[in-house]
Amino acid sequence: MKKSILAATAVLATAAGLAGCSNGGSGTEGSATKLQESSAQEITDKAAEATKALDSVRMAGQIYSEGERLQLDMALAKDGKCTGTISMGEGTAEVLNNGTASYMKGDEAFWQAQSKGEAEAGTFVEMLKGRWVKMGGEQGADAGFDSFCDLDKLLADMDSDTSTKATKGELTEIDGRQAIPLVEEDGKETTTVYVANDDAEPYLLRMENEGSDEPGVMDLTDHNKPVKITEPPASEVLDLAELGAQ
């Protein structure tokens, strides 16, 4: 399971940091903006600064890692809270962090995929399927899972001073908002980020990657929208720490 969680974490980090940007709130659709007149580097710098100031964001999309499709739909906040779903292969899991502990609730197909090759896979799946598994808090959570829900960490590597080789494309539209494409090519790999054409909120609206070992698309929305957490019922929670597992 740890391998898949770390892969998902890498996806989010890439989406957040590739061009130092992130989508967002109200915007100023239809108003005059000078952002589109800026250079690719200037747009990257402004987007990085805006993103670092975010308190929350929703990331949704898919990526192919080692031939497997990984789908994400996560709302994350800087206070450590997160909630959403992860789908890998035929399996799906709900995940959440209430700020102090992390939980995951996977279906049977999800746990079967995670336990493939283990000696007691059947017992493992029966024990975990349909239950909230507590993985975080003071008991020492899976480091990858904690990072997966840590928006601060995902944005920490963003640097507005970092130069970019991206070129600016023609204005387009993403989900009804004007967007400026920034395209960077590296051999067969092409990465495109779409920045909202908004001087006040130059957030990233979408990131696309083609030609790499992990191609995919990631949309960023709901910037600064509060992340609401519904605590799992205690009767449905299985604490791995109490079982001597991590």
Side-chain angles (χ1 to χ4, degrees), residues 22-26 53-59 73-79 81-83 151 201 203 220-229:
S22 137
N23 160 8
S26 58
L54 289 172
D55 291 321
S56 61
V57 66
R58 179 180 178 183
M59 298 182 180
D73 189 347
M74 296 292 302
L76 308 107
K78 282 190 175 180
D79 60 5
K81 294 180 180 178
C82 77
T83 183
L151 183 59
E201 297 179 342
Y203 297 137
L220 285 80
T221 60
D222 293 350
H223 290 69
N224 288 327
K225 182 177 180 179
V227 176
K228 298 180 179 180
I229 302 296

Side-chain angles (χ1 to χ4, degrees), residues 86-126:
I86 307 172
S87 295
M88 290 177 279
E90 299 298 323
T92 299
E94 299 175 63
V95 295
L96 69 85
N97 187 303
N98 60 11
T100 59
S102 302
Y103 300 84
M104 176 177 285
K105 182 180 181 180
D107 59 20
E108 184 172 358
F110 177 85
W111 291 120
Q112 284 177 340
Q114 305 310 312
S115 60
K116 186 177 181 179
E118 294 186 13
E120 299 183 3
T123 301
F124 178 79
V125 172
E126 286 301 316

Side-chain angles (χ1 to χ4, degrees), residues 3-14:
K3 182 178 180 181
S4 297
I5 295 300
L6 291 175
T9 304
V11 174
L12 294 184
T14 299

Side-chain angles (χ1 to χ4, degrees), residues 118-148:
E118 294 186 13
E120 299 183 3
T123 301
F124 178 79
V125 172
E126 286 301 316
M127 178 177 64
L128 300 183
K129 68 177 183 179
R131 301 184 67 181
W132 284 102
V133 180
K134 185 177 181 180
M135 305 175 67
E138 299 177 356
Q139 288 80 9
D142 180 304
F145 189 85
D146 280 353
S147 298
F148 182 74

Side-chain angles (χ1 to χ4, degrees), residues 159-177:
D159 187 348
S160 61
D161 294 328
T162 300
S163 61
T164 177
K165 298 179 181 178
T167 58
K168 184 175 60 173
E170 296 294 327
L171 276 179
T172 186
E173 190 172 283
I174 299 293
D175 294 331
R177 300 190 67 187

